[in-house]
């Protein structure tokens, strides 16, 4: 406890903010510590469902890559609010930006989509258009969350399909009557096994990662296709991987041919994050894109987790090269605002076909503007690429000695497997005790999701503690290999 | 133009903020004026779909009940960002609150639901629980928008139905397998004709207000029941109204008896706002509640528009008296945060069954805390009731001379009908030219949706201009009665 107090005293101003990043994690209690337990206990008898809480952060004290928790523990954060922290905690440029007074009028009242502020059109143009993926020069922002952004993409796909089916004509009286009675054409969206596209009632029909996201809920009878089970490193398992990708592409085509209801769109993540950080070669994604377009379906890329730089490019699909041609790209998380970019000809024929009162929150765009500026000024994409390379190589070296394998990903958006879910869970627990917040994905994978200011020095700490954690687990009787 | 400039000069500080409310609207251009046209024109070639824009507000210059638009027009706002403005523009207490610095850390980073800030549990308890409807002591916040809040309510209803069906047991292997393949029990939600519960893919299956909200989209085959066509004033048409409510209650029961799939919940608005401000007597709502409970369905009250005071009570369903017993109440708009209150026994058995990364935005709760304080200190519920009474009585007087009828509602949450959609649209246009922003609902109704600081003096201006507008329309050849 003393050490922590000293460290906090060293860095604090007005009893609250650390002036600069600590040099390493520093734990004084287990997690949850006594203060956390007290807080959770008081709350459990009423109000919110707090069972999902990992730890309780003291946002005033957290800085850079380090979260400080309610018990004063200093934790290197590679979980980052489910991959949603672009510039770490309390980035000085963000704070300075917020203090400018520009936020005030947008906080004092929330504009609706039909009564925008005078600066809104220019904000959309100057903040959003510069990050638009190639050919996607139309945008919808503030969908509320990533799930909603995806559902908006589905709505665009459905509207567009029906518009084409009608040959551009207006809906008939009959179609309107059927619509008003919850009847009519049953269009679908094709998604992939292990995918996660949200938990809304429709988006969960495209989510296949875990039963908890779907159980007990009615679903739309929408199709899914298998996603390639790739072995990493890719080039060392090339013949298996290419065969597997071809097999899955053939399955995608089979689903289109056998579809009992029309498929208006295909949705895919550049890395199937929640489902276990699965990805395939660019050839596979381009193959899916080609099949979608061949059958008149839109190709929707869900960049809710991959968008905003963690793969070392601003968009994850940039790794697919020049042939990538998504019709819609959805985003949220690291951009600190949710929404979607789409091709202009997909705009529905009539106003209000896509609409929500809460579209357009300038507060979130002011944040995004500053995030982008810092990314440019500090060359964070390049740094993320470099740090990721170091992490990946060092994890590979560790995999020679320890029960980890299948190291994969781009930039610092990485993952690796333990030999069992028990190993993965023990690792997460041990790492948190050592002051590193780490998350799982799939059944037995560890996901690496630091913010964009994660540097080689932070990676070194992560790697040191990871090796220590694995040895701790081994010393508790866990085996090096499956028995 | 000169008058406006003088008025703005009189009230401005630093070329931007009016210090106090103007005494009346003041128009210098038509809407859209030249600056608005220029802005809209520049934007139409790219980026957002701006066709739904009513006018462009200059949030820096707007104050109290008055929006100042980009061309300097001063507009009395009774539309208020689709009923989402609780305290008018730039309320001094809100501004003061924002300047306190408390918002800073919550703006600099967005917490995820599983890594909340140290102050979050207390904020939930101290800001949300005091406004919880009777018996609903569990809450979910930051659903993104009202539609999402409703979908979350449906998910609770479905989970609860399945839990009961299993006798409280965990889902079987078979149920999990079906869920993962988008198959399994098709549960439904019952809603009412003319209802509006959102535009997400599932919530639009409970929306029946206008074809634009549904056309071209696949829908869930969920049932709907007729909503009583009430004649106002209620007591002058009592025998018709009571007969009509009984007829509709019988229809609700018929839908339950004939349901081919189980109905897990019934959703209803205290006033069916978007669908034309339809409402019925408390007896009808209590009747629906009793039928829902009799058949084991949850009774869900959608207070997205009515919640937060506009009816003169904090919740619209408080007008139903002591027998009101909703299982879930959803909210958004005037509360400046979206979410739902529900009975604690409805909490799903397992964590993550209801979840979204973005649940829990302290920025919105800090706003809500201040809104509630101002409401209490300034006795805004009482004022809203009083102002509403004045408006309602005066509109009744106008209806003796002019083609308006069916004046209805509670507090300032009022509506009235013109004899045709053409009349209603002409009125909205004329009122905006006279400096009063007014909205429609249903096909030929005018909705009154001022903020909670709308006082009798504002109502007087509204009424004066309304009479003037009607006379203007008559002078253009519109008829007093349908021909």
């Amino acid at each position: 406890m003393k050490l922590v107090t000293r460290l906090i005293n060293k860095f604090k101003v007005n009893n609250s903010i650390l002036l600069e990043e600590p040099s390493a994690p520093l734990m004084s209690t287990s997690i949850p510590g006594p203060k956390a337990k007290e807080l959770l206990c008081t709350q459990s008898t009423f109000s919110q469902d707090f069972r999902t809480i990992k730890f309780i952060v003291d946002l005033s004290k957290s800085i850079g890559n380090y979260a400080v928790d309610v018990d004063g523990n200093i934790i290197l954060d590679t979980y980052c609010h489910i991959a949603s922290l672009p510039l770490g905690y309390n980035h000085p440029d963000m704070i300075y930006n917020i203090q400018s007074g520009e936020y005030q009028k947008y906080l004092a009242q929330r504009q609706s989509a039909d009564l925008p502020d005078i600066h809104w059109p220019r904000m959309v143009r100057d903040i959003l258009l510069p990050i638009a993926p190639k050919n996607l020069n139309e945008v919808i922002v503030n969908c509320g969350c990533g799930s909603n952004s995806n559902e908006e993409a589905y709505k665009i796909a459905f509207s567009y399909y029906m518009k084409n089916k009608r040959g551009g004509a207006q809906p008939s009286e009959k179609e309107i009557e059927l619509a008003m009675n919850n009847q009519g054409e049953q269009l679908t969206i094709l998604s992939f096994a292990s995918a996660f596209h949200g938990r809304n009632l429709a988006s969960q029909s495209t989510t296949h990662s875990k039963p908890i996201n779907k159980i007990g809920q009615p679903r739309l009878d929408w199709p899914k296709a298998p996603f390639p089970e790739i072995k990493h490193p890719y080039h060392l398992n090339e013949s298996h991987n290419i065969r597997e990708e071809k097999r899955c592409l053939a399955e995608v085509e089979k689903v289109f041919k056998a579809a009992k209801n029309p498929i208006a769109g295909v949705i895919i993540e550049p890395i199937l994050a929640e489902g276990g950080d699965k990805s395939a070669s660019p050839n596979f994604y381009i193959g899916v894109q080609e099949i979608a377009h061949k059958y008149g379906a839109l190709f929707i890329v869900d960049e809710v987790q991959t968008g905003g730089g963690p793969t070392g490019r601003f968009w994850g699909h940039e790794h697919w090269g020049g042939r990538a041609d998504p019709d819609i790209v959805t985003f949220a998380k690291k951009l600190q605002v949710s929404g979607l970019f789409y091709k202009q000809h997909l705009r529905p024929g009539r106003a209000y076909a896509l609409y929500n009162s809460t579209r357009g929150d300038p507060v979130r765009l002011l944040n995004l503007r500053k995030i982008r500026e810092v990314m440019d000024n500090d060359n964070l994409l390049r740094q993320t690429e470099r740090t990721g390379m170091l992490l990946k190589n060092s994890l590979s070296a560790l995999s020679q000695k320890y029960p980890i394998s299948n190291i994969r990903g781009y930039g610092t958006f990485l993952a690796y497997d333990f030999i069992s879910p028990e190993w993965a869970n023990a690792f997460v627990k041990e790492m948190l005790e050592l002051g590193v917040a780490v998350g799982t994905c799939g059944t037995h994978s560890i996901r690496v999701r630091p913010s964009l200011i994660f540097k080689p020095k932070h990676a070194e700490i992560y790697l040191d503690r990871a090796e220590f954690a694995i040895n701790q687990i081994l010393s508790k009787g866990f085996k090096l290999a499956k028995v």
Side-chain angles (χ1 to χ4, degrees), chain A:
Chain A
M1 193 68 181
K2 270 184 202 155
L3 253 175
V4 179
T5 317
R6 252 189 291 148
L7 191 71
I8 290 180
N9 281 337
K10 184 178 161 196
F11 289 120
K12 79 183 171 190
V13 185
N14 293 335
N15 276 330
S16 63
I17 310 275
L18 293 167
L19 260 189
E20 50 181 83
E21 257 199 1
S23 56
L26 202 47
M27 301 297 284
S28 58
T29 75
S30 272
I31 287 187
K35 286 185 186 163
K37 276 183 188 152
E38 200 190 318
L39 259 181
L40 289 170
C41 188
T42 325
Q43 300 303 311
S44 68
T45 51
F46 64 86
S47 65
Q48 251 193 326
D49 182 353
F50 281 127
R51 287 170 297 178
T52 58
I53 289 179
K54 292 210 162 17
F55 57 88
I56 298 175
V57 194
D58 191 335
L59 286 181
S60 313
K61 292 183 178 150
S62 303
I63 187 155
N65 290 280
Y66 289 89
V68 177
D69 91 339
V70 55
D71 288 284
N73 298 299
I74 299 178
I75 300 162
L76 180 67
D77 193 358
T78 71
Y79 181 74
C80 287
H81 300 264
I82 318 185
S84 297
L85 205 57
L87 303 178
Y89 292 96
N90 292 307
H91 193 285
D93 290 4
M94 291 292 286
I95 299 286
Y96 186 77
N97 193 37
I98 291 159
Q99 287 172 342
S100 72
E102 205 179 354
Y103 286 66
Q104 183 173 295
K105 64 178 168 181
Y106 302 124
L107 287 169
Q109 50 258 317
R110 179 88 194 255
Q111 68 179 26
S112 62
D114 53 358
L115 291 183
D117 179 56
I118 179 173
H119 293 111
W120 180 250
R122 283 189 205 98
M123 289 174 88
V124 171
R125 185 187 63 193
D126 300 341
I127 301 173
L128 289 171
L129 281 202
I131 57 167
K134 193 180 66 173
N135 300 329
L136 308 189
N137 51 355
E138 187 98 4
V139 70
I140 296 173
V141 269
N142 297 109
C143 293
C145 60
S147 314
N148 271 14
S149 305
N150 289 334
E151 289 212 359
E152 207 67 4
Y154 305 164
K155 288 182 73 174
I156 290 178
F158 296 138
S159 289
Y160 187 66
Y161 181 94
M162 290 305 291
K163 187 174 143 194
N164 284 340
K165 200 186 162 194
R166 288 182 216 114
Q170 290 299 311
S172 65
E173 284 303 312
K174 182 72 191 163
E175 190 187 339
I176 292 173
E177 191 197 320
L178 287 171
M180 292 305 282
N181 285 301
N182 286 349
Q183 303 296 332
E185 189 108 41
Q186 282 312 311
L187 308 176
T188 72
I189 298 291
L190 172 61
S191 52
F192 288 87
S194 296
F196 181 91
H197 301 293
R199 290 184 182 86
N200 282 359
L201 280 167
S203 58
Q204 73 185 355
S205 300
T206 54
T207 285
H208 313 284
S209 54
K210 287 172 192 147
I212 191 69
N213 300 319
K214 299 168 78 88
I215 199 79
Q217 303 296 328
R219 284 158 302 280
L220 293 155
D221 183 14
W222 289 358
K224 72 174 168 182
F227 189 85
E229 292 295 338
I230 298 300
K231 290 180 186 167
H232 297 273
Y234 192 94
H235 65 282
L236 293 184
N237 301 276
E238 205 158 44
S239 68
H240 163 88
N241 289 340
I242 291 176
R243 207 166 48 237
E244 176 67 0
E245 289 178 349
K246 278 195 180 145
R247 178 185 75 84
C248 290
L249 285 176
E251 288 291 328
V252 171
E253 184 130 20
K254 228 187 263 176
V255 172
F256 268 102
K257 281 184 178 157
K260 59 180 184 213
N261 293 312
I263 299 172
V266 181
I267 187 162
I268 199 163
E269 299 154 273
I271 298 175
L272 278 62
E274 169 76 10
D277 272 32
K278 295 180 179 176
S279 68
S281 77
N283 284 335
F284 176 73
Y285 294 96
I286 300 300
V288 172
Q289 174 182 296
E290 282 169 359
I291 297 169
H293 288 164
K294 175 174 159 190
Y295 288 91
L298 297 187
F299 183 55
I300 306 166
V301 181
D302 174 347
E303 296 250 22
V304 169
Q305 279 229 22
T306 48
T311 70
R313 312 267 174 98
F314 194 85
W315 298 110
H317 73 268
E318 291 174 45
H319 292 278
W320 305 340
R323 285 184 299 156
D325 184 29
D327 299 294
I328 307 179
V329 170
T330 63
F331 57 88
K333 293 196 182 285
K334 275 212 173 43
L335 280 80
Q336 297 285 284
V337 61
S338 58
L340 51 155
F341 288 104
Y342 60 99
K343 289 182 177 165
Q344 199 158 32
H345 72 277
L346 302 176
R347 185 195 278 197
R350 291 174 310 161
Y352 287 106
L354 295 171
Y355 191 75
N356 186 303
S357 313
T358 59
R359 294 282 152 76
D361 182 357
V363 166
R364 305 291 166 199
L365 286 205
L366 292 177
N367 273 358
L368 177 58
R369 190 180 64 193
K370 184 50 72 179
I371 292 164
R372 283 257 307 134
E373 268 177 42
V374 174
M375 283 176 71
D376 283 353
N377 293 342
D378 297 354
N379 213 352
L380 294 187
L381 288 179
R382 179 78 192 95
Q383 174 179 291
T384 296
E385 200 182 5
R386 242 181 49 230
T387 311
M389 201 76 79
L390 165 71
L391 260 174
K392 210 171 177 179
N393 291 338
S394 308
L395 285 166
S396 291
L398 284 184
S399 74
Q400 306 301 314
K401 284 164 65 182
Y402 298 113
I404 64 174
S405 63
N406 227 9
I407 296 137
R408 55 198 185 272
Y410 298 101
T412 56
F413 198 111
L414 300 176
Y416 49 97
D417 293 350
F418 276 98
I419 48 174
S420 68
E422 292 73 29
W423 252 103
N425 292 332
F427 181 75
V428 171
K429 202 167 175 297
E430 201 64 42
M431 283 293 268
L432 191 53
E433 293 299 313
L434 294 170
V436 185
V438 158
T440 57
C441 60
T443 52
H444 57 290
S445 303
I446 299 300
R447 56 172 134 179
V448 186
R449 297 288 190 278
S451 77
L452 303 172
I453 58 161
F454 196 73
K455 294 183 184 180
K457 69 173 178 181
H458 304 107
E460 299 287 2
I461 294 171
Y462 179 93
L463 292 160
D464 280 356
R465 309 257 161 162
E467 186 165 8
F468 192 83
I470 292 170
N471 280 312
Q472 286 285 99
I473 297 166
L474 285 170
S475 76
K476 287 176 184 167
F478 277 65
K479 302 292 172 223
L480 272 174
K482 269 188 189 168
V483 276

